[in-house]
Amino acid sequence: MDVPILLTADYANVANDGKLNVMGIFTNIKAFSFPALHPQMYLIAQLSGGRAEYNRKFKLEIKLLNEDATLEVVNRIAEAQLPQGENGQLVNLNIILSLSNIVFPTPGTYEFSILVDNDVKGTLPLEIILIAQDQ
């Protein structure tokens, strides 16, 4: 299983026709002071698998760790299943995680990790930056 899409954004959804809609993609968050509260963001991941993984059930874990991996800011675990495919084509499973009121205690590089059955399949850095009040 692969993770061809992994990003953070201001908003995301899946349309009725299965299209993944994403608005406001970002790689950093700026704050005037710490701890910093970020009111709303979305983590978007797309998992992809081939014919050997059709209908595969698995444990999906999403973590957000601080720079030295001493603090888990987010840890979500769910059971998931890839869909059934046809003719050996790749199948995709869109994951949209809404995250509200996330507190970042210090500036630095945080990292999202996507784990499938305890195996890391993708990571995404998120830079949290201290900025001066006049910027």
Side-chain angles (χ1 to χ4, degrees):
M1 195 174 312
D2 296 315
V3 182
I5 298 174
L6 182 57
L7 48 91
T8 48
D10 293 327
Y11 182 74
N13 69 21
V14 176
N16 290 339
D17 61 1
K19 290 180 184 174
L20 181 61
N21 299 306
V22 180
M23 296 187 320
I25 297 169
F26 59 88
T27 58
N28 63 60
I29 295 172
K30 297 175 182 167
F32 294 116
S33 63
F34 287 86
L37 174 72
H38 192 72
Q40 183 71 43
M41 72 174 136
Y42 288 78
L43 178 73
I44 298 93
Q46 186 178 75
L47 306 179
S48 170
R51 69 182 83 202
E53 296 180 300
Y54 288 177
N55 290 317
R56 177 180 170 195
K57 294 180 182 179
F58 58 94
K59 180 178 88 168
L60 174 67
E61 187 170 7
I62 298 172
K63 293 184 179 189
L64 175 60
L65 301 172
N66 68 345
E67 199 160 78
D68 58 4
T70 58
L71 175 67
E72 271 188 352
V73 178
V74 171
N75 187 356
R76 304 283 163 74
I77 300 172
E79 295 297 319
Q81 182 174 355
L82 278 180
Q84 173 65 41
E86 295 179 1
N87 302 322
Q89 294 178 346
L90 286 177
V91 292
N92 296 317
L93 177 63
N94 294 319
I95 307 293
I96 299 175
L97 179 61
S98 174
L99 298 167
S100 300
N101 299 319
I102 300 299
V103 176
F104 296 96
T106 60
T109 303
Y110 290 69
E111 185 176 81
F112 282 101
S113 294
I114 305 297
L115 295 92
V116 172
D117 291 333
N118 298 316
D119 183 26
V120 176
K121 295 295 183 179
T123 61
L124 176 69
L126 179 62
E127 189 73 27
I128 310 302
I129 302 166
L130 175 63
I131 60 171
Q133 290 283 348
D134 59 345
Q135 291 185 352

